[in-house]
Amino acid sequence: MALYAAAAAVLAGVESRQGSIKGLVYASSFQNVKQLYALVCETQRYAAVLDAVIASAGLLRAEKKLRPHLAKVLVYELLLGRGFRGGGGRWKPLLDRHKARLKAELARLKVHRGVSRNEDLLEVGCRPGSASQVPRFVRVNTLKTCSDDAIDYFKRQGFSYQGRASSLEDLRALKGKCFILDPLLPELLVFPAQTDLHEHPLYQAGHLILQDKASCLPAMLLAPPPGSHVIDACAAPGNKTSHLAALLKNQGKIFAFDLDAKRLASMATLLARAGVSCCQLAEEDFLAVSPSDQRYRQRLVYSTCSLCQEENEDVVQEALQQSSGIFRLAPVLPSWPHRGLNTFPGAQHCLRASPETTLTGGFFIAVLERVEVPSSVSQAEASAPELRPSPAPKRKRRQRKAAAAPT
């Protein structure tokens, strides 16, 4: 049913800091805005409860094609909402197979927390305000401008620039018309949580990308040098794709795959506004791409905007087992405070992000590298660079250099 797909897309957009619930609902193509808004708000309100029930029931492990945000919407309707609307379409039979287990896990959660009503779970299971503590992250689009010019523009508008942050506490302390440079990403500006820049002229001109910090990490960790060929699987809505293009300086090729035609159309608009010219969009399954193609053989970044183990550590573990001796987990960002769950040896090399631990949206990232490098690729090219925080920009404009990574 289109309602559930639209609600899942809005939830994903909110989690990756692409906009507010209201803004994303009105930007969607779903006609009944009031119905969509109500479903998204209620699903979001019970998000912590739904995550716990879905994880305990093993729903995503059993239904591997079911995306986390869609699962959350469907389970809300099944357990907490009014039941499936319009018959539920093709999703009702799928959820009916797990109905007994999901209801049992909800009942077990109530017993464990000593409550009897669904509403009481909100008081115990949710942490109100954690999402509102996440700052507004703004990536400077280096295809159109540079950090120095963006900083000067905001200063002329009356914002107070605080230099480069040295800790998360600096980000938590932001208030009013102040902003700061992120300590890790040199093109990422940080504003207080409630700062709304959707109508800002630099954003509307594509000079700024409203993108959560955690969502910036995949492209940064892949670090493709100009001239590389990069696959972006499940690419829409395109923020990470535009970040890759900026790192490539529009030199090379990005093959962006997504199965949703409407999301691809929105993505094409976003990329055009951002000045991206090196991207080829494909409305198809990226799994159809041959893994033996030499263009895509070196380095892989797997990321999700989910904190479910089934979508994250379990997927990485299975991939490593199926490609034993071919890929390894690369150790990245040793200072990052939130690591992967200790579910298999080496899982600590994975990165997790959340509002509570990293002041970002929920995210998971794993970097995999081939153990055996083709002879045509030099050892220097095959080694991942050591990533260090960059100094705060000075007044004079200077060229940013992307970290090197294999093509």
Side-chain angles (χ1 to χ4, degrees):
M1 188 176 178
L3 170 64
Y4 301 138
V10 171
L11 286 172
V14 170
E15 190 168 303
S16 58
R17 302 284 289 176
Q18 294 167 24
S20 65
I21 290 179
K22 183 177 290 186
L24 292 171
V25 165
Y26 278 95
S28 75
S29 58
F30 191 76
Q31 292 185 347
N32 193 333
V33 172
K34 184 177 179 180
Q35 184 185 41
L36 177 59
Y37 184 74
L39 178 58
V40 171
C41 287
E42 284 301 295
T43 304
Q44 182 82 325
R45 193 161 70 102
Y46 280 94
V49 175
L50 295 168
D51 283 339
V53 170
I54 290 170
S56 299
L59 177 63
L60 296 177
R61 186 165 53 247
E63 303 290 347
K64 295 188 182 300
K65 292 186 178 181
L66 185 60
R67 304 294 295 172
H69 296 99
L70 180 58
K72 200 177 297 187
V73 172
L74 295 173
V75 173
Y76 169 80
E77 284 284 74
L78 177 69
L79 300 182
L80 306 170
R82 301 178 180 177
F84 290 112
R85 309 175 203 204
R90 65 190 179 100
W91 300 117
K92 187 177 184 300
L94 184 150
L95 266 292
D96 280 346
R97 294 199 295 267
H98 304 276
K99 185 176 182 178
R101 179 66 185 274
L102 289 165
K103 285 190 171 182
E105 291 301 335
L106 179 62
R108 186 176 290 114
L109 186 63
K110 290 179 182 177
V111 171
H112 177 70
R113 295 180 177 176
V115 300
S116 59
R117 302 182 307 157
N118 293 334
E119 292 81 3
D120 295 332
L121 287 171
L122 288 175
E123 299 173 7
V124 178
C126 291
R127 283 174 275 191
S130 61
S132 64
Q133 298 170 7
V134 175
R136 166 62 69 188
F137 292 99
V138 179
R139 179 171 59 81
V140 177
N141 178 15
T142 54
L143 291 176
K144 287 196 165 185
T145 187
C146 67
S147 296
D148 298 322
D149 287 354
I151 289 170
D152 285 344
Y153 192 99
F154 279 110
K155 287 166 67 176
R156 290 196 301 271
Q157 288 192 317
F159 284 84
S160 175
Y161 176 51
Q162 306 294 305
R164 186 170 71 86
S166 59
S167 68
L168 289 180
E169 293 306 316
D170 292 339
L171 306 188
R172 287 191 179 96
L174 283 172
K175 60 179 63 176
K177 294 191 70 172
C178 293
F179 71 108
I180 204 166
L181 185 69
D182 184 77
L184 183 63
L185 286 93
E187 281 85 34
L188 196 64
L189 307 180
V190 191
F191 293 79
Q194 303 307 318
T195 306
D196 186 1
L197 297 172
H198 287 88
E199 303 300 322
H200 196 279
L202 289 185
Y203 168 71
Q204 294 185 335
H207 290 226
L208 301 178
I209 307 293
L210 304 184
Q211 184 175 1
D212 186 72
K213 177 178 179 176
S215 177
C216 295
L217 294 179
M220 185 197 76
L221 292 172
L222 186 65
S228 298
H229 284 178
V230 181
I231 280 185
D232 190 353
C234 304
N239 282 339
K240 290 187 286 294
T241 312
S242 68
H243 193 187
L244 287 166
L247 294 176
L248 290 172
K249 301 178 183 178
N250 265 339
Q251 301 171 26
K253 199 73 175 178
I254 301 173
F255 301 91
F257 294 82
D258 205 283
L259 288 173
D260 191 314
K262 291 182 179 179
R263 284 165 61 83
L264 270 182
S266 299
M267 179 177 174
T269 301
L270 183 151
L271 296 182
R273 185 174 63 191
V276 174
S277 61
C278 64
C279 186
Q280 177 179 315
L281 301 181
E283 185 188 340
E284 59 180 289
D285 190 346
F286 79 99
L287 292 176
V289 174
S290 172
S292 62
D293 193 316
Q294 292 289 331
R295 294 176 295 176
Y296 319 126
R297 289 177 60 89
Q298 296 309 311
R299 190 169 172 89
L300 167 70
V301 175
Y302 174 73
S303 66
T304 73
C305 53
S306 165
L307 293 179
C308 295
Q309 177 185 326
E310 293 87 350
E311 285 287 297
N312 299 328
E313 288 87 357
D314 289 358
V315 172
V316 173
Q317 182 180 15
E318 184 176 350
L320 290 172
Q321 289 172 346
Q322 291 183 2
S323 60
S324 179
I326 300 176
F327 280 95
R328 69 177 182 94
L329 263 178
V332 293
L333 295 183
S335 61
W336 190 257
H338 196 175
R339 315 303 298 188
L341 300 179
N342 190 25
T343 58
F344 64 92
Q348 71 277 7
H349 294 323
C350 302
L351 306 181
R352 280 175 163 259
S354 70
E356 295 81 9
T357 60
T358 57
L359 283 184
T360 66
F363 227 79
F364 173 87
I365 304 163
V367 180
L368 296 95
E369 293 179 327
R370 279 189 177 268
V371 174
E372 296 182 1
V373 180
S375 58
S376 60
V377 180
S378 71
Q379 186 63 37
E381 288 176 317
S383 299
E386 181 181 0
L387 297 166
R388 301 178 182 275
S390 297
K394 299 178 180 178
R395 299 283 299 181
K396 293 183 179 180
R397 178 183 297 192
R398 64 175 182 273
Q399 189 79 15
R400 297 288 183 190
K401 186 177 291 185
T407 302

